[in-house]
């Protein structure tokens, strides 16, 4: 089959290249129209229980997709006319931002901010800032009244900082504009928040700081940082050019793998736009990772071509030999990569599914560019007479290195190497048990600690009890439960239970509001701060709390618990969620259903669950693909063990590495682990393919491995180093998730290569010692002698 394909391809090579050229022009036109695309709903694992709750009550409960803007006085307190004038203007500007649900805008200036006052006639509700007060005519008496209203209304820590140095504005965002029905442009909104809000009110030498947090601002900051990926791509490209030239000693052979990988990048972008997809800022590195994969497989082609030319073959003969020799192992490696990316689609999060599609398209195209296009192009070039001599001298030096590495396959050395690997593996398994799913640090895990967004998050968390980290628990009850003592007391105990959970900063609930109201009806006496058992008194206590508070609905069949967390770390969210689950399991009440969860922390909890649940099945599917391909190709169980065990070792070393560097398993890092498994076995395929061939020639395992290192060992080592150097430039990214991906990929590329070079032959030798082969080995399809 391979020989037939070789004859067919090289007979029609001009026609194939012409067709690929036309396809490149078409895709290039489409590629230039590709743009960044982000959305809040793309982050949601839609099949998850929490997201079903969130979607069901989305229009009734808020807090999942909001922006928070805080005006902070650099000196002094907020109780002065100048601050409130600025605060009023800022509130108005937020009100008119695109995508803002205007009825949800909340600040001291908005009419939905009201306080309760006890008078001789009962409880009176009024605006915190009265309707007759304006920013221009505000007096000292007005400021005094506002301060009293803020304190009496319980807005300290909620809309006003606990140290009275800042005031907050909150607003919910709509995913679609109800008038135009167009999707909200988060990048445009983020730009407006920066240019029209922060730049206007936070001027150099001015009196105020403006703190802005929320998904819209976060995704804008990520997009701004992601644009630097072009710089890192250029740096990686230059390093790759130098590396490939150093290896090939030919400008032509340096040009070919890079040109083919760039061409597939154009195809990939063009097809994505044609299918209606954009590039998510969190997945913007994936196409460039696929580019690096293409270069790595291209180096294998260059390695065989240079080997053939050094033996006296012409360009076409060398290209034919490369095509035939690498068609099988190259296809196996790329198919495994494809399965690795494809398994990401198992996670029901649109953003990750789009990432899976993006990466799968890129890898599938590599089969064409690397295994077909590259050798065809190489067959058209000629090489000067001195090239063979240069290559021969370079290969002579490399063979000395490979001769030393080949000693690993000696039986005694193999046993020692295997024992060292197993010992490290056991340690890695133990240490990796402590790793976490989700963010491990406060603030946004996608940004570095000193990023402005995280600085703002920490300041807001320090000054306000009410922040962005909201976990909303939906409690479904019988109608009119809010005026029935057993239900209210049940929820009161639940609120108290959650208030005392580690990581919870504040709990807002109807029972808490009713107890304060009850005290107010009794001259503010603290002894009366309890739930009235009398139904009429309970009606009186609950009456002042409006449905717009989010604590109840019109018929009191939904009574929510608003739980504000200290931070968004995975451990904090997990502790709060487990507490809710424990309470509802230990305290069932007929007619009451406690449902998790809405709020942005509820969404994050669902994302963490989806990642944790999908990780093992995804890894297993990749292993199933690897085992199937190895058995189909080599028909030998020893090959399966030799290829998969080193990969397993490297995977757990990666988990250990994540624990050491405190990198959580997130939407950004999960693809890296899955990809590392798919990519890591590539080295094993290229090595074992040649080992199997030499076993078929009659070599024992030790000699077969030594001969394999002479032929492909240096290419494997060089490929891993080249890819590691390329992705290592990402560690300098201003985005933490890109830096983490760079560190993790660099580590995984090198670790998988080391495992393939050391542990694979040691396992093969030990297996051959324990289970001697009874009949000659059959050469793998497509393997050619060189």
């Amino acid at each position: 089959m391979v020989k037939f394909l070789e004859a067919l391809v090289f007979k029609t090579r001009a026609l194939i290249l012409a067709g690929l050229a036309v396809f490149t022009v078409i895709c290039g036109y489409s590629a230039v129209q590709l743009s960044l695309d982000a959305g809040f709903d793309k982050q949601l694992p839609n099949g998850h229980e929490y997201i079903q709750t969130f979607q069901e009550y989305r229009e009734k409960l808020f807090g999942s997709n909001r922006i928070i803007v805080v005006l902070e006085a650099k000196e002094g307190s907020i109780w002065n006319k100048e601050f409130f004038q600025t605060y009023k203007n800022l509130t108005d500007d937020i009100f008119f931002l695109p995508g803002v649900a205007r009825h949800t805008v909340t600040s001291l200036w908005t009419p939905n901010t009201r306080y309760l006052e006890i008078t001789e006639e009962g409880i009176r509700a009024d605006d915190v800032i009265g309707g007759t007060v304006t920013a221009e005519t505000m007096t000292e008496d007005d400021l005094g009244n506002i301060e009293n209203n803020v304190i009496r209304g319980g807005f300290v820590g909620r809309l006003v900082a606990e140290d009275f140095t800042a005031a907050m504005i909150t607003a919910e965002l709509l995913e679609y504009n109800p008038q135009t029905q167009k999707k909200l442009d988060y990048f445009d909104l983020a730009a407006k928040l920066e240019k029209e809000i922060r730049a206007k009110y936070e001027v150099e030498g001015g009196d105020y700081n403006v703190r802005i947090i929320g998904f819209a601002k976060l995704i804008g900051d990520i997009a701004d940082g992601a644009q630097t990926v072009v710089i890192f791509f250029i740096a990686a490209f230059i390093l790759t050019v130098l590396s490939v030239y150093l290896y090939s000693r030919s400008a032509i052979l340096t040009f070919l793998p890079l040109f083919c990988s760039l061409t597939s990048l154009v195809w990939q972008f063009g097809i994505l736009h044609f299918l209606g997809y954009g590039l998510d800022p969190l997945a913007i590195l994936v196409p460039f990772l696929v580019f690096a994969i293409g270069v790595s497989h291209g180096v294998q082609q260059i390695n065989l071509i240079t080997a053939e030319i050094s033996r006296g073959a012409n360009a076409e003969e060398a290209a034919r030999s490369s095509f035939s020799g690498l068609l099988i192992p190259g296809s196996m490696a790329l198919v495994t990569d494809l399965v690795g990316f494809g398994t990401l689609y198992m996670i029901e999060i649109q953003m990750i599914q789009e990432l899976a599609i993006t990466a799968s398209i890129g890898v599938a195209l590599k089969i064409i560019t690397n295994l077909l296009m590259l050798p065809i192009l190489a067959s058209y070039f000629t090489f000067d007479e001195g090239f063979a001599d240069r290559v021969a001298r370079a290969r002579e030096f490399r063979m000395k290195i490979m001769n030393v590495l080949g000693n690993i396959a000696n039986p005694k050395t193999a046993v020692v190497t295997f024992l060292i690997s197993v010992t490290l593996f056991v340690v890695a398994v133990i240490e990796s048990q402590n790793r976490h799913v989700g963010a491990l640090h406060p603030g946004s895990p996608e940004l570095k600690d000193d990023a402005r967004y995280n600085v703002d998050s920490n300041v807001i968390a320090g000054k306000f009890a009410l922040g962005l980290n909201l976990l909303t628990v939906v409690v479904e009850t019988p109608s009119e439960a809010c005026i029935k003592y057993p239900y209210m007391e049940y929820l009161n105990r639940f609120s108290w239970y959650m208030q005392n959970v580690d990581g919870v900063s504040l709990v807002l609930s109807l029972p808490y509001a009713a107890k304060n109201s009850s005290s107010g009806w009794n001259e503010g006496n603290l002894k009366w701060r309890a739930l009235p058992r009398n139904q009429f008194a309970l009606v009186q206590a609950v009456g002042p709390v409006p449905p717009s508070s989010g604590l109840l609905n019109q018929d009191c069949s939904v009574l929510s618990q608003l739980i504000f967390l200290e931070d968004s770390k995975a451990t904090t969210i997990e502790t709060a969620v487990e507490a809710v689950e424990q309470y509802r399991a230990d305290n069932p009440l007929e007619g009451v259903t406690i449902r998790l969860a809405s709020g942005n922390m509820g969404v994050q909890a669902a994302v963490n669950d989806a990642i944790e649940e999908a990780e093992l099945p995804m890894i297993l599917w990749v292993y199933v693909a690897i085992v199937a391909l190895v058995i189909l190709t080599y028909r030998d169980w020893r090959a399966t063990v030799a290829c998969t065990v080193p990969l397993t070792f490297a995977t757990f070393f990666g988990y250990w590495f994540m624990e050491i560097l405190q990198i959580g398993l997130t939407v950004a890092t999960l693809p890296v682990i899955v990809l590392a498994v798919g990519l890591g076995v590539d080295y094993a395929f290229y090595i074992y393919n040649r080992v199997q061939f030499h076993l078929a020639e009659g070599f024992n395992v030790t000699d077969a491995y030594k001969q394999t290192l002479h032929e492909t060992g240096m290419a494997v080592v060089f490929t891993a180093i080249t890819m590691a150097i390329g992705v290592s430039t990402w560690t300098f990214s201003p985005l933490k998730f890109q830096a983490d991906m760079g560190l993790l990929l660099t580590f995984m590329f090198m670790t998988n290569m080391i495992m393939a070079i050391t542990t694979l032959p040691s396992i093969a030798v030990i297996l051959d010692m324990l289970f001697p082969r009874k009949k000659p080995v059959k050469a793998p399809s497509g393997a050619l002698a060189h």
Side-chain angles (χ1 to χ4, degrees), residues 110-123:
T110 55
N112 55 2
T113 306
R114 299 169 65 82
Y115 73 98
L116 300 178
E117 182 182 22
I118 309 301
T119 70
E120 294 86 350
E121 299 176 355
I123 291 182

Side-chain angles (χ1 to χ4, degrees), residues 9-28:
V9 165
F10 283 87
K11 182 178 180 180
T12 59
R13 55 181 178 167
L15 185 61
I16 292 173
L17 288 180
L20 294 179
V22 172
F23 184 64
T24 303
V25 172
I26 296 172
C27 287

Side-chain angles (χ1 to χ4, degrees), residues 86-119:
T86 306
Y87 185 46
K88 176 64 167 65
N89 295 334
L90 178 57
T91 300
D92 292 342
D93 287 345
I94 297 295
F95 186 85
F96 290 105
L97 283 174
V100 167
R102 295 177 179 177
H103 66 286
T104 67
V105 176
T106 304
S107 83
L108 296 180
W109 280 104
T110 55
N112 55 2
T113 306
R114 299 169 65 82
Y115 73 98
L116 300 178
E117 182 182 22
I118 309 301
T119 70

Side-chain angles (χ1 to χ4, degrees), residues 634-693:
Y634 301 125
R635 312 294 175 87
D636 185 356
W637 65 270
R638 297 174 184 81
T640 303
V641 175
C643 289
T644 56
V645 170
L647 184 64
T648 305
F649 286 5
T651 301
F652 277 91
F653 292 156
Y655 289 146
W656 186 12
F657 183 75
M658 291 176 67
E659 172 59 25
I660 292 173
L661 294 187
Q662 289 292 287
I663 300 174
L665 194 64
T666 65
V667 170
T669 55
L670 174 64
V672 176
I673 290 296
V674 178
L675 298 181
V677 175
L679 294 173
V681 79
D682 293 359
Y683 307 128
F685 284 160
Y686 281 117
I687 288 176
Y688 203 88
N689 191 68
R690 298 304 302 162
V691 169
Q692 188 86 344
F693 174 79

Side-chain angles (χ1 to χ4, degrees), residues 1-6 297 300-301 304 320-337 367 370-372 628-635 681-682 684-690 692-693 778-784:
M1 180 191 71
V2 172
K3 296 303 294 182
F4 169 76
L5 288 175
E6 176 193 325
H297 287 283
Q300 297 292 336
Q301 297 277 357
L304 281 187
R320 283 174 171 267
S321 179
S322 176
F323 174 86
S324 299
L326 292 178
L327 183 62
I328 298 302
S331 297
M332 289 175 62
L334 287 170
V335 168
T336 307
D337 298 343
I367 297 175
N370 284 73
L371 302 182
L372 180 67
L629 286 170
V630 172
I631 291 176
L632 182 66
T633 304
Y634 301 125
R635 312 294 175 87
V681 79
D682 293 359
F685 284 160
Y686 281 117
I687 288 176
Y688 203 88
N689 191 68
R690 298 304 302 162
Q692 188 86 344
F693 174 79
K778 181 181 178 181
S781 302
L784 300 178

Side-chain angles (χ1 to χ4, degrees), residues 8 22 25 38 56 60 138 161 171 186 193 219 283 329 354 370 372 382 411 415 458 471 526 553 589 712 786:
L8 178 64
V22 172
V25 172
E56 185 175 341
K60 303 173 184 177
M138 183 176 289
Y186 281 93
L193 285 170
I219 203 67
E354 289 183 8
N370 284 73
L372 180 67
T382 58
V415 172
N458 292 331
L471 175 68
L526 294 180
N553 64 352
L589 181 63
T712 193
H786 299 289

